[in-house]
Amino acid sequence: MREAVRELHARGHQAVVLSPEVTMHIKAEDFFTMKTYAVPYTQDEFDYIVTGKLHLFFERIHFLTLFLETMASLKNVSLVFQRSCEELLHNKDLIRHLNASSFDVVLTDPVYPCGAVLAKYLSIPAVFFLRSIPCNLDTEGTACPDPFSYVPRLLTMNSDHMTFFQRVKNMLYPLSFKYICELSFTPYARMASELLHREVPLVDIFGSASIWLFRGDFVMDYPRPVMPNMVFIGGINCANRKPLSRVCIGAFIQSMFQVEHIVLKNNLLPDAYLSTDLFKDFHRASLVAQ
């Protein structure tokens, strides 16, 4: 999202970034204005809650222990983000300022649905940047077909060609995530209902987006049905490319094709980027070497 905001600024648009005072990655930049709001926890508390249990995934412990510890950690993380959202939505001065500023669009990641709730309250079109949302809430929000028969579900290890029992697994496996979704997302429906003074289900919150920008593509993911407002922008996170050295590229190609020598064609520059055309050149060179 940072690169999109940078490009909007370059085209003459003004962007305001809403952030809690305690955050992990969001820093002030010269291409946007930052507005912060107070939250009831410190930086040390936030860092511990978010990253304090990561070591569990690298330890050899019983699956049940890992599951319970993960659920407890997830509950704490969800509570932190919920409290942050409540502080934002109940900050009357900040909300009054946002109402008076006449913004054109809200850019947000719906995995943290606070931005979607805010956009719905302010009656501003929302653009979602995301990889995916657990429990297929993205497909529900877009009313997109999502057949269990050939769209593999998260962590099932199924392909798009499944046996009957794999299809059954594909249908049953997501049920285990229902508790996680209830824990993580239901409070935002309550906040939206309180803010708008009417019942607001989750599907309405996720269905409020004008455009869904998915940070993926069908090179890394299996094809699936999409709606007209679902756009794939895989590779946007690679906008800030760094040059690869000739040694690094040669070692990479050598390991891929298991050749003893790499023949560099057309005297390629050492600082060249590994673009598609360059990769084709190296591919042809590796075949020559074989």
Side-chain angles (χ1 to χ4, degrees):
M1 196 181 303
R2 181 188 298 270
E3 296 307 318
V5 174
R6 191 192 302 272
E7 184 63 27
L8 287 172
H9 174 76
R11 298 187 182 193
H13 299 278
Q14 295 181 348
V16 174
V17 174
L18 289 179
S19 169
E21 290 179 344
V22 175
T23 182
M24 185 172 291
H25 297 297
I26 301 176
K27 307 296 181 185
E29 299 277 2
D30 58 1
F31 55 89
F32 61 76
T33 301
M34 195 152 105
K35 294 284 186 181
T36 61
Y37 55 92
V39 288
Y41 48 81
T42 66
Q43 185 70 54
D44 289 340
E45 290 172 338
F46 178 77
D47 292 343
Y48 176 76
I49 291 173
V50 174
T51 64
K53 298 292 183 179
L54 291 179
H55 66 278
L56 290 174
F57 296 98
F58 302 96
E59 295 180 359
R60 303 188 60 160
I61 57 178
H62 192 274
F63 170 77
L64 183 59
T65 303
L66 176 62
F67 177 80
L68 294 176
E69 291 281 352
T70 302
M71 288 300 100
S73 178
L74 177 62
K75 185 176 181 179
N76 291 332
V77 172
S78 299
L79 182 59
V80 165
F81 287 120
Q82 291 165 26
R83 291 169 66 185
S84 173
C85 187
E86 288 174 346
E87 292 297 325
L88 169 61
L89 298 178
H90 291 109
N91 191 323
K92 294 182 180 180
D93 292 336
L94 181 56
I95 295 297
R96 191 181 302 112
H97 169 75
L98 297 176
N99 258 320
S101 299
S102 301
F103 290 103
D104 297 317
V105 67
V106 173
L107 312 180
T108 184
D109 187 337
V111 173
Y112 175 50
C114 196
V117 173
L118 183 63
K120 196 169 185 66
Y121 174 70
L122 298 177
S123 299
I124 301 175
V127 175
F128 286 176
F129 285 73
L130 71 158
R131 184 64 177 83
S132 63
I133 305 179
C135 302
N136 304 319
L137 290 172
D138 49 351
T139 56
E140 291 183 18
T142 53
C144 181
D146 191 33
F148 290 97
S149 56
Y150 72 92
V151 179
R153 292 302 183 258
L154 181 68
L155 302 179
T156 60
M157 304 302 291
N158 288 336
S159 70
D160 57 342
H161 293 78
M162 291 176 274
T163 65
F164 172 76
F165 290 106
Q166 287 174 328
R167 294 175 197 270
V168 173
K169 175 185 177 183
N170 206 49
M171 183 178 66
L172 296 178
Y173 205 82
L175 296 178
S176 61
F177 292 98
K178 287 296 182 183
Y179 170 73
I180 299 176
C181 292
E182 288 291 324
L183 182 70
S184 302
F185 296 116
T186 301
Y188 296 96
R190 173 184 56 77
M191 295 181 206
S193 300
E194 293 174 354
L195 200 62
L196 299 172
H197 305 291
R198 61 181 174 84
E199 193 67 25
V200 181
L202 273 175
V203 68
D204 282 3
I205 295 175
F206 290 113
S208 63
S210 299
I211 301 177
W212 294 66
L213 301 178
F214 288 89
R215 298 191 305 271
D217 52 48
F218 291 152
V219 174
M220 302 297 294
D221 301 318
Y222 287 109
R224 60 185 178 89
V226 296
M227 300 300 279
N229 64 337
M230 301 167 71
V231 181
F232 290 86
I233 55 170
I236 191 173
N237 293 343
C238 302
N240 291 325
R241 299 172 298 176
K242 294 182 180 180
L244 297 176
S245 66
R246 182 189 293 249
V247 174
C248 178
I249 297 175
F252 171 73
I253 300 299
Q254 204 167 345
S255 65
M256 281 192 65
F257 299 100
Q258 296 181 349
V259 297
E260 295 182 359
H261 303 285
I262 298 296
V263 179
L264 297 180
K265 300 182 66 178
N266 301 328
N267 193 24
L268 293 171
L269 297 175
D271 292 334
Y273 290 103
L274 189 59
S275 65
T276 302
D277 293 336
L278 177 57
F279 182 79
K280 290 177 181 178
D281 280 341
F282 272 116
H283 190 184
R284 288 193 292 265
S286 67
L287 295 178
V288 171
Q290 285 181 321

